Amino acid sequence: MEKTGSSSSLNDLGPNGLGLTSAFFKPIHNSNPPLPSNRCTKVSVVGVGNVGMAIAQTILTQDLADEISLVDANPDKLQGEMLDLQHAAAFLPRTKITASVDYSVTAGSDLCIVTAGARQNPGESRLNLLQRNVALFRHIIPPLAKASPDSILIIVSNPVDILTYVAWKLSGFPVNRVLGSGTNLDSSRFRFLIADHLDVNAQDVQAFIVGEHGDSSVALWSSITVGGIPVLNFLKKNQIAYEKQTLENIHQAVVGSAYEVIRLKGYTSWAIGYSVANLARTILRDQRKIHPVTVLARGFYGVEGGDVFLSLPALLGRNGVVAVTNVHMNDEEAEKLQKSAKTILDMQSQLGL
């Protein structure tokens, strides 16, 4: 029977008219309501290194913003990068491009993307590098938040999980408006490798890497589907043997992918550029797509022990993180995720934040 006075929705097809959204997703608590749309879309990118410029260039060519602002501590490189993009104006969508060492240039941004970070010195410990990046963030995040108090922050700088936590603390933003690029790219690499093994299009593979963006990440093999077919269940049902080590080898190939690219060309840029632009598209155009990104994970999948940010499949929209997906995990995967969270919390505790 049709409802009167409102449009029907597939959301109401649950038993006794129950909405299905609440079953699939857990809401983000203490989040702000969506903001009204601005008449023009502005994106700011902090850090004009290889990663920052790959992100800016991809957002520009995909026509995702009316204005792009660049910020960096190196004024000469900053000016050069701005001019280089401006000189391509005849070949690109009409976009205003500005740049400054002063964060006032970012005022009124809808989205602020932070790629700036200190490089690891030879023999330097991971903790010391992290402490230097935290010190750097103390000079980046507060002025960004002041200039654009209604913006959404995407952190790309590594280690992305802890630095997303730091950005959340320093910005004072609600938790739904601070996220990290996390394992969005790792999951893309994962999908590519599975697709390559099966000789199918990667877009037909649904697969997630969750947890830390790093060595303790977790591959969710139990929930992988190809063309809608749950892979492991299909193999079991058809009594097709496979070795667990084969699956682990694919995961390790994902973990080592970035190191291989860095070994060969010295840095990564294009894949992370497309990955972050993909997140920007979902957020700015309110596409309500699910991405594995760095979010506050406490209370999800048995993650406890404190405020910890790590990657989980999250529903993204114009207000940032809308919800966390109730994706299937077996007991082993959930345990690995909780261990991954502990790894990050142990590192955070050494910072004294």
Side-chain angles (χ1 to χ4, degrees):
M1 184 174 181
E2 270 193 357
K3 293 182 179 180
T4 57
S6 65
S7 60
S8 61
S9 167
L10 290 176
N11 184 48
D12 300 320
L13 293 181
N16 303 316
L18 289 175
L20 295 180
T21 300
S22 59
F24 279 98
F25 304 105
K26 291 185 179 180
I28 298 295
H29 298 293
N30 302 319
S31 64
N32 285 1
L35 297 167
S37 298
N38 297 330
R39 61 184 175 80
C40 76
T41 301
K42 181 174 179 178
V43 175
S44 290
V45 179
V46 180
V48 296
N50 296 315
V51 171
M53 289 313 299
I55 293 169
Q57 190 265 353
T58 309
I59 288 174
L60 180 61
T61 55
Q62 293 186 3
D63 198 12
L64 299 180
D66 300 295
E67 181 176 353
I68 296 176
S69 292
L70 306 175
V71 179
D72 197 274
N74 184 335
D76 289 340
K77 179 166 173 48
L78 184 64
Q79 184 76 0
E81 294 289 6
M82 180 191 71
L83 291 173
D84 211 5
L85 289 179
Q86 288 177 338
H87 294 167
F91 317 116
L92 294 168
R94 186 172 183 268
T95 303
K96 181 180 179 181
I97 302 170
T98 58
S100 177
V101 296
D102 192 322
Y103 284 88
S104 61
V105 76
T106 68
S109 295
D110 298 280
L111 190 62
C112 294
I113 301 169
V114 181
T115 71
R119 292 188 178 183
Q120 192 165 16
N121 295 322
E124 183 179 25
S125 71
R126 188 182 179 196
L127 177 60
N128 193 68
L129 173 64
L130 180 55
Q131 288 170 332
R132 290 201 294 126
N133 274 320
V134 169
L136 185 63
F137 265 46
R138 293 188 192 279
H139 296 286
I140 293 174
I141 302 301
L144 265 185
K146 183 179 179 180
S148 300
D150 296 324
S151 67
I152 293 168
L153 288 176
I154 296 182
I155 308 303
V156 184
S157 313
N158 279 314
V160 67
D161 305 295
I162 296 178
L163 290 180
T164 303
Y165 167 80
V166 171
W168 173 55
K169 285 290 190 181
L170 293 175
S171 68
F173 283 4
V175 69
N176 60 297
R177 290 201 282 117
V178 183
L179 62 144
S181 54
T183 58
N184 195 52
L185 177 53
D186 305 68
S187 296
S188 174
R189 290 167 173 151
F190 192 35
R191 292 169 67 185
F192 161 73
L193 289 171
I194 294 168
D196 195 45
H197 271 71
L198 299 176
D199 196 21
V200 298
N201 192 309
Q203 292 184 356
D204 290 321
V205 177
Q206 289 298 314
F208 294 117
I209 300 286
V210 298
E212 180 195 18
H213 172 59
D215 296 341
S216 72
S217 65
V218 183
L220 298 186
W221 286 102
S222 66
S223 62
I224 290 175
T225 63
V226 176
I229 301 170
V231 172
L232 295 192
N233 285 348
F234 176 82
L235 295 177
K236 184 177 180 181
K237 183 178 179 180
N238 290 274
Q239 298 182 339
I240 300 173
Y242 67 91
E243 293 187 10
K244 197 170 182 180
Q245 187 57 46
T246 302
L247 307 186
E248 182 58 30
N249 290 343
I250 294 176
H251 179 214
Q252 289 307 312
V254 172
V255 173
S257 292
Y259 299 118
E260 179 69 1
V261 174
I262 292 170
R263 183 183 71 81
L264 293 169
K265 63 176 273 189
Y267 56 90
T268 61
S269 57
W270 295 117
I272 187 63
Y274 280 105
S275 174
V276 176
N278 188 236
L279 299 178
R281 176 185 292 276
T282 294
I283 292 168
L284 295 172
R285 297 190 176 175
D286 197 26
Q287 291 190 331
R288 315 284 285 200
K289 290 176 65 177
I290 296 168
H291 296 269
V293 291
T294 307
V295 297
L296 181 62
R298 186 184 62 190
F300 296 109
Y301 301 105
V303 173
E304 301 294 345
D307 292 332
V308 59
F309 278 72
L310 50 73
S311 285
L312 294 173
L315 181 68
L316 303 185
R318 190 60 187 82
N319 201 35
V321 183
V322 179
V324 171
T325 312
N326 281 321
V327 68
H328 175 267
M329 287 188 202
N330 61 32
D331 292 343
E332 182 183 1
E333 290 164 347
E335 185 179 344
K336 286 181 178 179
L337 178 66
Q338 291 154 21
K339 286 183 178 178
S340 186
K342 187 176 184 305
T343 298
I344 298 168
L345 279 168
D346 288 346
M347 186 65 73
Q348 276 181 196
S349 67
Q350 298 178 63
L351 294 174
L353 294 172

